[in-house]
Amino acid sequence: MFDTILITGDGEVAARVERTCKRIGVDLAALGEVEGMRGWRPDVSAIIAAATRTGAKAVHPGYVAPTRRTSLARAVREAGIVFVGPSTQALEAMQDKLSMREIAEGAGIRVVPGCAEALRDVAHARAEAETLGWPVVLKPVAGTAALGVCIVESEQELEAAFVRASDVARETFGDGRIMLEKQIADPREIEVTVVVDDEGRTTALAERETSIQRRFDKLIAESPSPLLVQRPDGEALREAVVDAALRIAAGMGLRGLATFEFLLDESCHIHFLEANSDMHGAILATEMATGLDPIELQMQLPSGERLEDQA
């Protein structure tokens, strides 16, 4: 494995990556103050220059916007430096929620009912919402986490919500496109993290449930899912969710580690929601349930290490 790493971004994810590096003996590049390294949209050229100057053998993206993560991965790999994260092909798919919907449907997986294209304007949003039925959810096509996501209960709220969501998407992610989905009543949210090595060996780590949220921000992650534990058909549902995650991972050409999120409606029908490579706090529940460190797995895969059978 590489011996020195540069961590971009900041906050809890950067701190989490640093803890794993110290535990497994990977040195951190001594950066000092490098302008453009922090925040959701770090400067890619500044990162490449810093990695070259410090002799870092690898770069971890920390927690940055999906579009910036893709451009960072491409530039890092072109510079001959290891990028700790999914394949560029997978990152390109995950930075566009509409693209991921197509991949999921192509894999035979039901998606959350919604518009198949970005909204052109408020009139387009109104027509789609009336077809689906209120309430609906507006969200950035290129977004991650809960930024820019809002529930619209009625036509009277639509225009203001559309403008607000578009502005957040443009300012935060550099992409002002907005999409619309039907708001599923009282959903349960279940996530599955999938790991694929360079040889295509694949494993799905224990599922986690993140249904307890506030304004789409996840407050509690539980593994195993309480819903699946309590239902008589829970094991069959678990197998179905995991199978869906694996099929989508294969469809997007995943190499590395990514999380696939699903909503279960009142009838426990499984709907694909989105995929991401974020190392957010919820993944700690999977680490506790499996005894596997996802950050360490991320670092092992680019080094050509094979997934062990026991994983």
Side-chain angles (χ1 to χ4, degrees):
M1 190 188 295
F2 47 83
D3 54 9
T4 309
I5 191 169
L6 182 152
I7 305 171
T8 73
D10 51 14
E12 67 174 62
V13 177
R16 176 68 185 79
V17 175
E18 183 175 337
R19 287 202 302 273
T20 292
C21 289
K22 290 180 177 178
R23 181 177 62 78
I24 65 177
V26 175
D27 293 331
L28 303 176
L31 286 176
E33 291 297 322
V34 178
E35 186 176 354
M37 282 287 295
R38 304 306 179 193
W40 272 67
R41 299 173 65 186
D43 183 84
V44 173
S45 59
I47 293 170
I48 298 299
T52 302
R53 176 174 58 81
T54 60
K57 305 300 183 185
V59 170
H60 192 291
Y63 195 46
V64 299
T67 50
R68 193 55 57 94
R69 187 179 299 145
T70 303
S71 59
L72 174 61
R74 186 179 296 110
V76 166
R77 286 167 172 151
E78 289 176 354
I81 303 170
V82 173
F83 179 79
V84 181
S87 53
T88 306
Q89 176 184 345
L91 287 171
E92 288 174 344
M94 287 187 285
Q95 77 177 27
D96 189 308
K97 288 186 174 68
L98 292 172
S99 174
M100 286 305 308
R101 284 174 63 91
E102 290 183 10
I103 291 171
E105 290 183 306
I109 308 302
R110 181 190 289 113
V111 299
V112 175
C115 183
E117 59 182 336
L119 298 172
R120 296 184 295 275
D121 48 33
V122 176
H124 184 198
R126 183 180 300 110
E128 293 290 342
E130 289 175 350
T131 298
L132 289 169
W134 305 92
V136 295
V137 179
L138 294 181
K139 61 177 65 174
V141 171
T144 186
L147 293 174
V149 179
C150 58
I151 297 177
V152 184
E153 299 283 353
S154 65
E155 181 179 353
Q156 289 71 32
E157 301 175 12
L158 182 61
E159 184 170 357
F162 184 92
V163 172
R164 184 168 63 252
S166 299
D167 288 346
V168 171
R170 189 176 301 106
E171 294 169 7
T172 306
F173 306 114
D175 184 339
R177 291 178 300 155
I178 295 297
M179 59 186 290
L180 180 149
E181 292 177 340
K182 172 67 178 171
Q183 168 67 4
I184 294 179
D186 299 320
R188 302 292 286 262
E189 184 164 334
I190 294 179
E191 307 176 346
V192 178
T193 296
V194 174
V195 188
V196 186
D197 69 16
D198 285 346
E199 297 181 10
R201 290 162 57 96
T202 305
T203 189
L205 307 183
E207 91 286 344
R208 56 186 180 266
E209 183 169 345
T210 54
S211 300
I212 300 176
Q213 303 181 6
R214 179 177 183 271
R215 297 177 182 172
F216 297 103
D217 277 323
K218 300 164 185 176
L219 299 182
I220 295 177
E222 303 171 272
S223 184
S225 158
L227 173 68
L228 302 186
V229 169
Q230 293 164 7
R231 289 182 59 91
D233 60 349
E235 189 56 39
L237 278 172
R238 176 179 290 109
E239 291 178 0
V241 172
V242 169
D243 177 67
L246 294 176
R247 287 161 64 181
I248 298 171
M252 65 190 283
L254 177 64
R255 290 294 185 272
L257 185 151
T259 292
F260 299 85
E261 303 182 10
F262 301 88
L263 294 183
L264 275 63
D265 61 22
E266 293 175 326
S267 300
C268 278
H269 294 141
I270 300 167
H271 301 78
F272 171 69
L273 181 63
E274 63 179 66
N276 63 74
S277 60
D278 298 335
M279 292 290 106
H280 50 65
I283 205 166
L284 295 176
T286 294
E287 180 176 4
M288 295 169 70
T290 63
L292 298 171
D293 181 342
I295 305 295
E296 184 176 3
L297 284 173
Q298 274 193 315
M299 293 182 180
Q300 289 172 340
L301 296 176
S303 304
E305 295 195 26
R306 292 162 55 96
L307 282 173
E308 299 296 337
D309 291 337
Q310 60 266 31

